[in-house]
Amino acid sequence: MNVIVWNENRHEKINPVVAEIYPDGIHGAIASFLQTEEIEVKTATLDEVEHGLTDEVLNETDVLVWWGHMAHDEVEDTVVEKVYHRVLAGMGLVVLHSAHFSKIFKKLMGTSCDLKWREVGEKERLWVVDPSHPITSGLDQWIDIEKEEMYGEHFDIPTPDQLLFISWFEGGEVFRSGATYQRGKGKIFYFRPGHETYPTYYHKEIQTVIKNGVNWVRGDNTPTPEYGNVDPLETISKNKTKEID
């Protein structure tokens, strides 16, 4: 499996707190725990040519992991369009934390993807609400995170195909923190934790969820259906061929 971890890589350059927590960047931290003998992981960042997502890179990518926050508007629409069509064609997409507001996620969801937030650093309890799903495999009933940014409802997303996690925060808010979707042939997993000023991506259970998510969204290479006007004689001919086979 070929995985690209994409990150703006901006906070790490201007915020010493973030640079200390993630000296190799958030993308580097995520790539390090995803890399295995079976998974080839590379990274791409905003300031690279085509944001590191050239046609050649995208065409070889099975799963794209996306983290963004302060520079959503700097992502070129042409790149967003390419990623969008790759997802429809079967590339998996894992959207992390504040990437809920990324151009690609909003385009795929068709909504504002807006929410409430509060950045004071408070305890989060992430409840597993679907223990039968492959993404929640290996987890207990909940995950505790000592300090995280609060996200609260209403979260303006379409009703998820599957809701996997609900967060509770010390301030009393709850949030749909893990949701899956399918668009075309592509699977999408949104996962909330991961504010840049907290070491959330070193949390073993958070790593487990992201690993499981990457494995789950990977495409299965099903054939693309034929679309458009269909000649009934051609359909009959194909059916007869199948009967002979």
Side-chain angles (χ1 to χ4, degrees):
M1 188 189 337
N2 294 316
V3 176
I4 296 291
V5 179
W6 191 91
N7 174 31
E8 292 172 349
N9 196 33
R10 289 288 176 80
H11 290 283
E12 297 90 331
K13 294 179 178 180
I14 63 174
N15 188 331
V17 174
V18 182
E20 182 177 359
I21 296 171
Y22 295 110
D24 297 320
I26 292 172
H27 53 298
I30 295 171
S32 67
F33 68 75
L34 287 178
Q35 182 73 50
T36 67
E37 291 183 1
E38 293 78 27
I39 302 177
E40 178 67 27
V41 185
K42 297 180 181 179
T43 62
T45 57
L46 181 65
D47 292 328
E48 296 177 46
V49 176
E50 295 187 66
H51 312 316
L53 300 175
T54 63
D55 290 339
E56 181 180 1
V57 168
L58 284 174
N59 289 338
E60 295 177 354
T61 301
D62 298 304
V63 176
L64 177 62
V65 180
W66 193 284
W67 195 101
H69 185 195
M70 64 184 297
H72 299 309
D73 291 343
E74 295 183 43
V75 178
E76 295 291 339
D77 291 340
T78 54
V79 174
V80 174
E81 195 68 18
K82 290 195 301 182
V83 173
Y84 174 77
H85 286 289
R86 280 290 293 125
V87 172
L88 296 185
M91 181 182 72
L93 180 65
V94 176
V95 178
L96 298 175
H97 190 58
S98 46
H100 70 89
F101 231 33
S102 62
K103 287 183 178 181
I104 183 58
F105 190 61
K106 290 196 290 185
K107 183 177 179 66
L108 287 161
M109 295 299 103
T111 59
S112 75
C113 298
D114 215 340
L115 46 80
K116 295 182 178 72
W117 59 274
R118 181 174 58 248
E119 188 183 344
V120 296
E122 54 194 283
K123 181 177 179 178
E124 174 182 2
R125 175 160 287 184
L126 194 64
W127 286 93
V128 176
V129 295
D130 187 351
S132 67
H133 196 280
I135 292 179
T136 63
S137 177
L139 302 177
D140 205 338
Q141 297 178 67
W142 68 78
I143 300 171
D144 279 339
I145 304 175
E146 184 179 351
K147 286 187 178 181
E148 252 293 352
E149 179 182 26
M150 186 282 293
Y151 278 9
E153 297 288 347
H154 176 246
F155 186 16
D156 186 23
I157 53 174
T159 300
D161 294 343
Q162 297 154 305
L163 181 62
L164 308 183
F165 299 96
I166 294 177
S167 289
W168 166 89
F169 296 88
E170 284 186 85
E173 291 85 1
V174 296
F175 189 77
R176 288 167 291 167
S177 285
T180 70
Y181 297 91
Q182 184 156 345
R183 295 291 185 267
K185 292 170 60 179
K187 293 179 180 179
I188 303 161
F189 173 48
Y190 172 74
F191 190 47
R192 196 215 67 82
H195 187 64
E196 67 274 3
T197 58
Y198 305 113
T200 304
Y201 292 123
Y202 298 113
H203 193 301
K204 293 302 182 183
E205 289 172 299
I206 298 302
Q207 292 181 358
T208 294
V209 174
I210 297 172
K211 290 176 186 176
N212 289 348
V214 165
N215 281 304
W216 183 80
V217 301
R218 181 186 184 182
D220 55 9
N221 295 318
T222 56
T224 301
E226 295 180 16
Y227 297 107
N229 190 25
V230 177
D231 184 342
L233 296 179
E234 181 182 354
T235 303
I236 292 170
S237 175
K238 285 184 177 180
N239 286 339
K240 286 184 177 179
T241 301
K242 288 181 180 178
E243 289 174 3
I244 293 172
D245 292 342

